[in-house]
């Protein structure tokens, strides 16, 4: 409901934007009728929810009906039973509608771009998690040392730097000024088209700068959380007992302290991973990464609302699923937590 109200309250005329200079009153009316924009907002909302719902009611007799069953929209569906003379109950995949500009199905656009964003987000969170946990453990073991103080300062700087600003600096410095040493480009995608017409090939070096840019902020959070959580666990009686028994430091950290210190860290990692998928917009745009974020910016520039609305809904679902998965991981990390 929020997504529908938010984007339908925006000023602008999709029909006029689609037609451009060719726009006239009759053509605009035809486009609005095709898109269902000629109907009251309440009817548009019901149509929108009906399209999204996997179980929906459609009219399979009257082509003039607002809820007419258009087989071009739903390539796969199952008729469950009739609910009236002209209406049937369908079981189908959610329909996210079509792009105003390209007329492609929104689900196809998301399917083509989401994997690139997922690769970028996963790479960024792996980089932030491994380095952040390692630095956090070292900072906790070396409390109040120079290394500890420097890690705190760098963490604050990492949080203070907006992704779009850090991305511009990284692209300029490592992709332009130092490019002959780094071999990196200011822009690039996961796949690069071969200049000699031999198709496309995987180009992982283009992943480095956007992943570093996207991973800096979660890295700063993970370092601080790991440090504070480890300090709390290391002050517990059972850890002091383990030291008194003569256990090696490495065994105490890996077998006893780290597992109990990871709960808040896992919370941060899960939250940031979900946020990275949704928040990679500016980073993808700066580095020319062909992901879902870049697609959203271009859709907003063209006032292509079905694409933007579809992306918001899909990323929201991913956010919920990821956080539900974390609840299961909690039970594995901490035996005191039980799922009921």
């Amino acid at each position: 409901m929020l997504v529908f109200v938010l984007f339908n309250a925006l000023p602008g005329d999709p029909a006029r934007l689609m037609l451009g200079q060719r726009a006239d009153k009759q053509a605009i009316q035809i486009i609005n009728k095709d898109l269902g924009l000629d109907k009251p907002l309440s009817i548009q909302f019901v149509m929108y929810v009906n399209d999204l719902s996997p179980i929906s009611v459609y009219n399979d007799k009257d082509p003039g009906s607002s809820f007419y069953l258009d087989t071009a929209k739903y390539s796969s569906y199952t008729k469950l039973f009739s609910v009236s003379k002209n209406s049937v109950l369908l079981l189908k995949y959610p329909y996210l509608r079509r792009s105003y500009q390209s007329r492609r199905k929104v689900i196809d656009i998301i399917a083509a771009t989401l994997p690139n964003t997922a690769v970028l987000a996963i790479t960024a969170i792996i980089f932030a998690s491994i380095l952040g946990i390692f630095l956090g453990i070292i900072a906790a073991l070396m409390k109040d040392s120079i290394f500890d103080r420097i890690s705190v300062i760098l963490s604050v700087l990492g949080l203070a730097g907006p992704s779009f600003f850090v991305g511009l600096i990284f692209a300029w410095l490592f992709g332009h000024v130092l490019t002959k040493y780094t071999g990196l480009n200011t822009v690039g995608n996961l796949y690069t088209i071969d200049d000699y017409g031999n198709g496309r090939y995987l180009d992982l070096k283009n992943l480095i700068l956007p992943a570093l840019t996207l991973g800096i902020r979660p890295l700063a959070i993970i370092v601080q959380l790991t440090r504070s959580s480890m300090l709390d666990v290391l002050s517990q009686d059972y850890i002091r007992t383990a030291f008194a028994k003569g256990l090696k430091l490495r065994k105490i950290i890996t077998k006893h302290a780290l597992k109990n210190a990871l709960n808040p860290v896992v919370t941060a990692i899960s939250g940031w991973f979900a946020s990275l998928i949704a928040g990679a917009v500016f980073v993808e745009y700066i580095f020319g990464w062909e992901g879902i974020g870049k697609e959203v910016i271009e859709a907003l520039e063209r006032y292509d609302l079905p694409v933007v609305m579809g992306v918001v809904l899909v990323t929201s679902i991913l956010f919920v699923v990821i956080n539900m998965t974390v609840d299961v991981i909690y039970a594995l990390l901490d035996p005191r937590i039980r799922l009921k």
Side-chain angles (χ1 to χ4, degrees):
M1 184 185 296
L2 182 61
V3 169
F4 178 85
V5 172
L6 177 64
F7 288 104
N8 279 275
L10 292 176
D13 188 348
R16 190 172 295 277
L17 289 171
M18 290 172 65
L19 294 170
Q21 298 297 327
R22 299 177 290 112
D24 57 62
K25 188 175 181 179
Q26 184 178 5
I28 290 174
Q29 289 177 346
I30 293 173
I31 294 295
N32 282 333
K33 184 176 181 180
D34 180 55
L35 299 176
L37 301 177
D38 59 332
K39 298 174 177 61
L41 202 60
S42 57
I43 299 298
Q44 291 184 44
F45 175 70
V46 175
M47 292 170 62
Y48 180 65
V49 173
N50 203 46
D51 284 340
L52 288 179
S53 175
I55 299 178
S56 314
V57 178
Y58 285 94
N59 187 312
D60 62 345
K61 305 294 184 183
D62 181 13
S65 170
S66 300
F67 299 92
Y68 179 66
L69 179 58
D70 186 352
T71 55
K73 293 180 181 179
Y74 316 110
S75 55
S76 177
Y77 61 86
T78 301
K79 292 184 179 181
L80 298 178
F81 53 83
S82 298
V83 294
S84 68
K85 181 179 179 181
N86 295 329
S87 299
V88 294
L89 195 69
L90 294 185
L91 178 64
K92 62 175 180 57
Y93 290 110
Y95 177 58
L96 299 179
R97 303 195 168 178
R98 293 181 181 272
S99 163
Y100 286 161
Q101 301 296 326
S102 66
R103 305 302 294 160
R104 291 175 61 198
K105 287 185 177 180
V106 172
I107 193 65
D108 293 338
I109 295 174
I110 294 175
T113 54
L114 184 58
N116 283 354
T117 298
V119 169
L120 177 59
I122 290 171
T123 304
I125 204 65
I126 288 175
F127 153 72
S129 301
I130 294 175
L131 186 59
I133 291 173
F134 175 76
L135 294 178
I137 293 172
I138 301 300
L141 294 176
M142 301 175 64
K143 184 176 180 293
D144 296 329
S145 66
I146 296 296
F147 180 87
D148 184 28
R149 296 177 188 276
I150 291 176
S151 70
V152 172
I153 294 172
L154 292 179
S155 296
V156 172
L157 291 176
L159 282 172
S163 296
F164 67 88
F165 177 75
V166 174
L168 290 172
I169 296 298
F170 276 20
W172 172 76
L173 182 61
F174 298 109
H176 178 66
V177 176
L178 302 176
T179 185
K180 67 178 181 180
Y181 304 108
T182 62
L184 302 176
N185 304 315
T186 54
V187 296
N189 194 30
L190 186 60
Y191 291 93
T192 299
I193 304 298
D194 187 84
D195 294 335
Y196 301 98
N198 296 322
R200 61 178 191 167
Y201 61 92
L202 189 65
D203 198 351
L204 291 178
K205 71 177 182 180
N206 291 333
L207 181 61
I208 296 174
L209 290 182
L212 289 178
T213 302
L214 201 59
I216 281 181
R217 299 192 73 195
L219 170 64
I221 289 289
I222 292 170
V223 169
Q224 287 302 303
L225 277 177
T226 304
R227 175 186 178 276
S228 61
S229 186
M230 282 295 296
L231 287 174
D232 181 59
V233 171
L234 290 174
S235 65
Q236 300 296 317
D237 290 339
Y238 72 92
I239 297 295
R240 288 196 290 267
T241 301
F243 275 114
K245 287 182 176 181
L247 294 180
K248 293 182 179 180
L249 177 62
R250 181 171 62 85
K251 187 173 183 179
I252 293 174
I253 297 299
T254 56
K255 297 291 185 180
H256 302 283
L258 186 57
K259 185 176 180 179
N260 292 324
L262 278 181
N263 270 357
V265 180
V266 170
T267 303
I269 291 173
S270 64
W272 273 103
F273 177 60
S275 299
L276 291 182
I277 293 178
V281 175
F282 295 111
V283 173
E284 290 184 354
Y285 194 74
I286 289 169
F287 291 99
W289 188 264
E290 298 292 337
I292 202 168
K294 185 170 179 287
E295 189 69 40
V296 165
I297 290 184
E298 292 176 350
L300 284 170
E301 290 175 346
R302 302 189 301 260
Y303 202 78
D304 202 347
L305 294 186
V307 175
V308 183
M309 294 167 72
V311 169
V312 171
L313 286 171
V314 170
T315 51
S316 300
I317 291 170
L318 288 174
F319 198 97
V320 172
V321 170
I322 290 170
N323 281 283
M324 290 175 65
T325 305
V326 171
D327 288 339
V328 177
I329 295 175
Y330 278 164
L332 299 177
L333 289 176
D334 191 344
R336 294 171 298 181
I337 299 175
R338 289 290 179 265
L339 300 177
K340 296 182 180 180

